[in-house]
Amino acid sequence: MKKQVKTAAVLFLLACVSMTSCDTSKKENNNNMIEKVSFGKLPDGQETELYTLKNAAGMEVKISNFGGTVVSWTAPNKKGEFEDVILGCDSVAGYVKGVPYFGALIGRYGNRIANGKFTLEGKAYSLAQNNGVNALHGGLKGFDKVLWTATPIEGEEPSLKLTYTAKDGEEGYPGNLSVEVVYTLQKDNSLKIDYKATTDKTTVINLTNHTYFNLNGNLDSDILSHEVTLNADKFLPVDKTLIPTGELKPVAGNVFDFLKSKKISAGINDTTDTQIKFGGGYDHCWVLTDSTKTLKSAATVYEPTSGRVLEVLTTEPAIQFYTGNFLDGTIKGKNGIIYKHRSGLCLETQHYPDSPNQAAFPSTVLKPNETYQTTTVYKFSVK
Ligand code: BGC
């Protein structure tokens, strides 16, 4: 008798367990659910998380609260096969060890500030010189290396809201800066990034995202056969430390002309061009022809083998097109793949580099009672 009771209890328990796991799988199959898993621990013991946004078309974007980093992103090729099209690491440890800003949110000031110095309202500020003599991408511990507070927002177009408050004086910048970045995976296979920030003291700000794309889907290949269009009739020539000289140079008649779609390989190795020499390839800021703050098409990339097309739309005035020239085969990424020279390209929408020191450039100053607000959309399709 006792044995029968015990068996019934065990059966009952088993039934409960199987019901719970059925429930979970139901949730996993539901596109509207945002799955959250551990992405590993930081050296100080803090846990990090990885969120998966999915849409009904089958696209999946994984984002970590560490650095607000886009870790993986699947997009269909012309046969409808989904493959990961961005560079990244398997766990947070890879990002902590140091990678060149793979997928990360960049701030407080994306791109370079000459000699790590600027003056604002008569006061001089000094930043870490973390890129030769210059300051790059927010400093030694920029927004790419901080833990953001994440709030998943489920729905047909799922979002991940990330917030972070940078302290007054953090990385040398003035003002407590409250930042909110919302990633939204839309039905049309686009990822929208809405950036917002407010400050309690006048400061400078230039936020962007630093995803390295390789539309081939084979992250072991380089991006030289990708065909690029940049809707920009001027670019910013730089000095040998990659600080803009201040000139806005027409692209017409030189290797910086991407007004009509062109293979990256066509001009990237033209070392008779001093600018190509300085960048080791393309690593420059293009000034969009349409300077309005509306959401307009800035760039299109097409990869012929896969048929994948990526269009970048932005409210920003410029875009840094970087061809992964500093990737040198020393980084092992997701699934053990070694990221070779030029195996990824970045399309970083932004204001011009070094604006805090160049009065003729559009202002990157943010004052208390103002709201910084920009939007960028990365949209995939095939042709
Ligand atoms: C810069 C490059 C730099 C890369 C990674 C890009 O935004 O323009 O010069 O090497 O980021 O740090």
Side-chain angles (χ1 to χ4, degrees), residues 29-294:
N29 288 336
N30 184 339
N31 284 319
N32 293 351
M33 296 300 296
I34 295 177
E35 189 187 291
K36 176 176 108 176
V37 296
S38 166
F39 198 44
K41 278 192 179 137
L42 294 177
D44 67 2
Q46 284 190 93
E47 275 290 349
T48 65
E49 292 149 2
L50 188 67
Y51 294 84
T52 305
L53 312 186
K54 296 179 196 172
N55 71 7
M59 180 169 274
E60 276 191 23
V61 182
K62 292 186 191 285
I63 302 167
S64 175
N65 60 340
F66 180 74
T69 303
V70 184
V71 170
S72 73
W73 189 342
T74 67
N77 61 12
K78 59 189 168 196
K79 292 191 228 149
E81 296 158 343
F82 282 81
E83 286 167 309
D84 191 0
V85 289
I86 68 167
L87 310 192
C89 307
D90 287 319
S91 74
V92 79
Y95 295 92
V96 170
K97 215 163 107 190
V99 288
Y101 307 93
F102 287 170
L105 291 178
I106 306 293
R108 171 176 318 202
Y109 198 95
N111 219 317
R112 292 175 174 81
I113 295 181
N115 301 307
K117 289 190 173 26
F118 65 94
T119 302
L120 193 58
E121 295 182 333
K123 195 166 179 267
Y125 292 93
S126 255
L127 314 167
Q129 293 167 296
N130 62 335
N131 186 252
V133 294
N134 301 321
L136 178 70
H137 294 336
L140 298 173
K141 192 177 177 189
F143 293 176
D144 60 297
K145 293 185 190 70
V146 302
L147 209 48
W148 294 68
T149 302
T151 313
I153 304 161
E154 287 167 352
E156 213 184 337
E157 298 197 318
S159 295
L160 188 68
K161 180 164 108 180
L162 296 164
T163 55
Y164 177 71
T165 300
K167 299 239 156 36
D168 184 14
E170 189 170 317
E171 288 297 326
Y173 294 95
N176 291 296
L177 184 79
S178 304
V179 188
E180 179 190 289
V181 178
V182 182
Y183 285 105
T184 304
L185 178 57
Q186 306 190 112
K187 288 185 275 193
D188 63 354
N189 281 351
S190 66
L191 185 70
K192 178 157 73 94
I193 316 179
D194 291 302
Y195 303 86
K196 224 194 239 182
T198 52
T199 182
D200 61 359
K201 246 189 215 172
T202 304
T203 191
V204 292
I205 181 167
N206 195 24
L207 304 180
T208 191
N209 175 277
H210 209 294
T211 295
Y212 288 67
F213 295 96
N214 184 328
L215 304 193
N216 187 292
N218 170 12
L219 301 178
D220 209 6
S221 62
D222 65 46
I223 43 78
L224 295 177
S225 61
H226 287 46
E227 296 170 20
V228 173
T229 313
L230 298 173
N231 299 324
D233 56 8
K234 295 188 189 71
F235 79 104
L236 303 178
V238 289
D239 66 14
K240 61 175 189 302
T241 73
L242 303 186
I243 294 292
T245 59
E247 184 194 1
L248 272 68
K249 188 170 176 177
V251 295
N254 62 59
V255 292
F256 288 80
D257 189 350
F258 283 93
L259 284 165
K260 283 203 198 102
S261 173
K262 189 170 85 184
K263 264 200 183 3
I264 294 175
S265 59
I268 196 171
N269 291 319
D270 182 358
T271 43
T272 61
D273 188 295
T274 321
Q275 288 300 312
I276 289 286
K277 242 204 259 174
F278 285 165
Y282 293 110
D283 191 358
H284 295 77
C285 192
W286 271 255
V287 176
L288 300 178
T289 310
D290 180 348
S291 60
T292 62
K293 288 187 180 148
T294 54

